[in-house]
Amino acid sequence: MSPKISAKSVDLTFSTNDGPVDALKDVNLDINEGDFVSFIGPSGCGKTTFLRVLADLERPTGGTVEINGVSPKIARESRAYGYVFQAPGLYPWRSIGKNIKLPLEIIGLSKHEQSERVKRVLKLVDLQDFENKFPWQLSGGMQQRASIARALAFDADILLMDEPFGALDEIVRDHLNEQLLDLWKTTSKTICFVTHSIPEAVYLSTKIVVMSPRPGRIIDFIESTLPNERPLDIRDSSEFISISQRVREGLRSGHSYE
Amino acid sequence: MRSVVSICVVVGALIFVWYLAAVSLNSTWALDKAKRAGLELGTKELILDTWSQEKPKLPAPHQVASELWKTTVEKKITSKRSLIFHSWITLSSTLVGFLIGTSLGILLAIGIVHNNAMNMSVMPWAIASQTIPILAIAPMIIVVLNSIGVQGLLPKAIISSYLCFFPVVVGMVKGLRSPDKIDTDLLHTYNATNAQKFWKLRLPTSMPFLFASLKVGISASLVGAIVGELPTGAVRGLGARLLAGSYYGQTIQIWSALIMAAMVAAALVGILALLQKVMLKRMGMT
């Protein structure tokens, strides 16, 4: 089976006033269909940049990236992925339902199909009663769920998520993590998830990519041995703790040369 | 409530200063007149005289107020002496000019935002256009348009739009460029077309900027319409009232036309402010 997403010796150098910055250096990675991959590392390690490269929001300066066997640009034009940003990014003048319809209007779905999908995804993120509410009427966690619903409504089989729960408190975060795992299992999407929380990465992922800054690169690649069925208390198991330790050691070794 | 009180205090202070100024500016004439009649004026008579002259240098507030009352409430609005009639003449060309200027401004802004050549070339011209005194160019516009048979409201409206398009261009260029990166990125991931980006993101985001520009634009339009009435020797409109008043030394008429123009401007800006409040609230952008 050919990989869903494949990156070969990807480099990305930003030119800044202080000279060139290596955001990504020689990144090689294969992601298979149905994987839940977390990217973890300190800020500046290029995890978000890599996700943006996959989304064709940044162009790499070297190497090749293929999504479904084509370039990120073509993948984007064929709407191969949904993207969830750090902030909800809901348009304040649109109700939640209308926000979710935004991508559907752009693809040009029929009105009927649009409302069907809105109903379906709102149910997935447990926001059925909020279709006609406006973003400011929702809490931060609910807004982020709405933005996930918007990405899901797009119904692409790849979901790119850039620290979607970074700004939320622990309790809401746990809840959303559980929901996200459920979603992943029921929809069998391929998910790339950027985070800087070790428990979040270990709890969610089938594969964990540990990254390090200056230059941004991959320093460890962990295949999770946890079962697919993951209650919240799996985080107290010894297996979970040993994977967390490996991630932590990777992060530490990435810092040690400074 | 507190704002009402503070407004009243400021207005009261202004009227007080106005009365004092009327005394000092009009006293020369009053004393002159008394001297010729061989009369001695007491302080009280002097003050009362300065507040009730027929052609004072500075009419007192109550003179302007009673003139306003006489020319609005007590005159039929079809009468040529009705200030409401003249205001309507000016207002209609203000509104037409505002419409033309705003449309032109928005179209130019759309062009500037979407087209790099326009971005480089239009803005300097727009700025240059505003450095030319409107009083210098207004007669040219009227003469040129008249020679091709365009008369009446349209030439004045064009002078209005000349003043009004500029704040709209500047505001809308800024407004159409104001979406956050994350919102633009989002549409990029959907592979939205430029037209979709415009209608679904840029235009809604620019609304606060649009309203700010419209408020500046509409008062500029009114100034343009009045200025447009001056060089033509127009017989109708607030500008014509100002002109006629200055020909015949009718200072009370000039001041009442000025106050009327100010009230019209305040009403127009007030309506836009209200519209802005309602609209932005509905859009969740306050």
Side-chain angles (χ1 to χ4, degrees):
Chain A
M1 194 175 77
S2 65
K4 192 85 180 152
I5 297 169
S6 150
K8 289 196 178 59
S9 53
V10 170
D11 294 325
L12 199 159
T13 310
F14 290 116
S15 38
T16 68
N17 290 336
D18 303 332
V21 172
D22 288 324
L24 293 172
K25 188 91 188 160
D26 195 25
V27 173
N28 291 286
L29 186 68
D30 280 343
I31 297 170
N32 294 321
E33 180 147 19
D35 276 345
F36 194 129
V37 186
S38 283
F39 297 83
I40 188 164
S43 40
C45 72
K47 52 193 194 298
T48 295
T49 307
F50 184 67
L51 206 66
R52 290 175 65 85
V53 167
L54 297 184
D56 191 36
L57 291 166
E58 307 283 355
R59 296 279 158 84
T61 43
T64 54
V65 178
E66 284 189 350
I67 294 168
N68 292 334
V70 295
S71 73
K73 183 168 188 289
I74 296 172
R76 176 175 65 82
E77 284 164 358
S78 63
R79 286 140 175 162
Y81 64 84
Y83 199 104
V84 181
F85 292 87
Q86 286 180 19
L90 300 168
Y91 293 179
W93 55 89
R94 285 175 167 250
S95 65
I96 298 302
K98 282 270 196 182
N99 263 294
I100 294 171
K101 278 182 189 161
L102 177 70
L104 311 179
E105 289 169 9
I106 287 170
I107 314 175
L109 292 184
S110 70
K111 288 257 186 263
H112 178 72
E113 173 81 15
Q114 289 183 19
S115 359
E116 292 279 294
R117 286 214 196 174
V118 168
K119 295 254 179 319
R120 199 182 73 220
V121 293
L122 278 176
K123 200 163 174 193
L124 280 175
V125 296
D126 203 13
L127 284 174
Q128 299 91 311
D129 302 332
F130 293 88
E131 183 174 345
N132 296 318
K133 292 271 189 286
F134 281 83
W136 56 271
Q137 293 170 305
L138 270 62
S139 69
M142 288 160 105
Q143 287 185 17
Q144 198 53 271
R145 262 147 67 197
S147 92
I148 292 170
R150 182 177 57 191
L152 290 173
F154 206 50
D155 210 22
D157 51 1
I158 300 172
L159 204 50
L160 305 175
M161 306 178 86
D162 181 11
E163 289 185 45
F165 310 138
L168 305 175
D169 66 65
E170 194 85 28
I171 300 163
V172 177
R173 202 173 176 145
D174 277 354
H175 181 60
L176 290 182
N177 280 340
E178 265 187 302
Q179 281 190 321
L180 183 59
L181 267 188
D182 274 348
L183 269 174
W184 172 66
K185 273 181 289 188
T186 51
T187 57
S188 68
K189 289 187 190 301
T190 309
I191 299 183
C192 297
F193 187 94
V194 167
T195 180
H196 47 222
S197 153
I198 297 174
E200 192 171 69
V202 178
Y203 177 67
L204 292 172
S205 325
T206 58
K207 287 172 181 167
I208 302 166
V209 177
V210 184
M211 297 184 75
S212 164
R214 284 176 294 271
R217 65 201 188 280
I218 296 176
I219 49 169
D220 198 4
F221 181 80
I222 305 166
E223 299 232 20
S224 177
T225 49
L226 293 174
N228 271 4
E229 206 56 50
R230 298 177 186 181
L232 270 179
D233 56 18
I234 202 171
R235 294 181 297 182
D236 299 323
S237 70
S238 61
E239 217 174 345
F240 189 95
I241 292 167
S242 74
I243 297 173
S244 302
Q245 260 163 2
R246 185 167 158 196
V247 174
R248 192 168 296 117
E249 269 160 28
L251 292 174
R252 205 171 286 150
S253 74
H255 266 291
S256 63
Y257 72 100
E258 282 184 301
Chain B
M1 189 60 213
R2 275 182 63 185
S3 68
V4 173
V5 171
S6 51
I7 287 170
C8 287
V9 168
V10 171
V11 171
L14 282 176
I15 289 177
F16 181 72
V17 172
W18 188 348
Y19 270 113
L20 288 186
V23 171
S24 90
L25 283 169
N26 302 336
S27 58
T28 326
W29 171 254
L31 292 172
D32 234 30
K33 205 170 48 175
K35 198 171 160 196
R36 272 184 273 126
L39 292 169
E40 276 292 315
L41 281 182
T43 317
K44 195 180 162 202
E45 283 100 356
L46 176 68
I47 289 174
L48 286 178
D49 188 84
T50 58
W51 288 350
S52 57
Q53 293 170 6
E54 204 172 310
K55 291 183 177 179
K57 280 191 185 130
L58 179 65
H62 67 266
Q63 290 178 290
V64 177
S66 87
E67 168 81 5
L68 271 174
W69 181 264
K70 268 190 274 176
T71 50
T72 52
V73 182
E74 293 180 1
K75 287 273 186 311
K76 272 201 292 200
I77 57 164
T78 48
S79 157
K80 286 210 171 151
R81 288 167 182 273
S82 165
L83 253 193
I84 294 187
F85 168 80
H86 290 287
S87 301
W88 168 245
I89 299 289
T90 305
L91 182 65
S92 56
S93 67
T94 301
L95 293 179
V96 174
F98 177 65
L99 220 67
I100 300 173
T102 306
S103 318
L104 182 69
I106 292 175
L107 286 177
L108 282 176
I110 293 171
I112 288 171
V113 167
H114 287 94
N115 181 310
N116 203 32
M118 274 189 81
N119 183 26
M120 310 282 270
S121 60
V122 173
M123 216 40 161
W125 285 103
I127 293 168
S129 77
Q130 301 303 300
T131 61
I132 302 167
I134 188 68
L135 269 173
I137 207 166
M140 311 299 175
I141 293 175
I142 301 225
V143 167
V144 167
L145 287 178
N146 193 35
S147 74
I148 58 169
V150 181
Q151 283 174 317
L153 182 138
L154 204 57
K156 287 196 290 173
I158 285 171
I159 294 166
S160 284
S161 59
Y162 184 89
L163 285 182
C164 154
F165 88 96
F166 184 68
V168 177
V169 172
V170 174
M172 281 305 276
V173 166
K174 189 134 174 57
L176 292 173
R177 284 186 177 146
S178 68
D180 288 334
K181 190 166 173 25
I182 175 174
D183 294 333
T184 333
D185 280 352
L186 183 71
L187 289 184
H188 188 67
T189 67
Y190 299 152
N191 194 31
T193 62
N194 275 339
Q196 287 169 331
K197 282 177 189 164
F198 175 79
W199 289 110
K200 295 190 190 301
L201 179 62
R202 283 186 195 270
L203 192 66
T205 319
S206 70
M207 280 305 129
F209 296 85
L210 175 65
F211 277 106
S213 313
L214 290 185
K215 285 198 274 188
V216 179
I218 198 144
S219 30
S221 266
L222 184 68
V223 170
I226 292 174
V227 168
E229 285 162 354
L230 295 178
T232 50
V235 287
R236 297 187 296 179
L238 290 174
R241 288 290 276 190
L242 292 174
L243 203 63
S246 73
Y247 280 159
Y248 302 112
Q250 296 286 357
T251 44
I252 300 180
Q253 182 186 325
I254 295 176
W255 278 87
S256 57
L258 279 178
I259 300 280
M260 195 67 191
M263 289 194 297
V264 170
L268 290 174
V269 173
I271 291 168
L272 281 176
L274 196 72
L275 208 65
Q276 173 183 33
K277 210 171 158 185
V278 172
M279 181 101 168
L280 294 189
K281 199 179 157 93
R282 275 193 58 178
M283 290 178 72
M285 295 174 91
T286 41

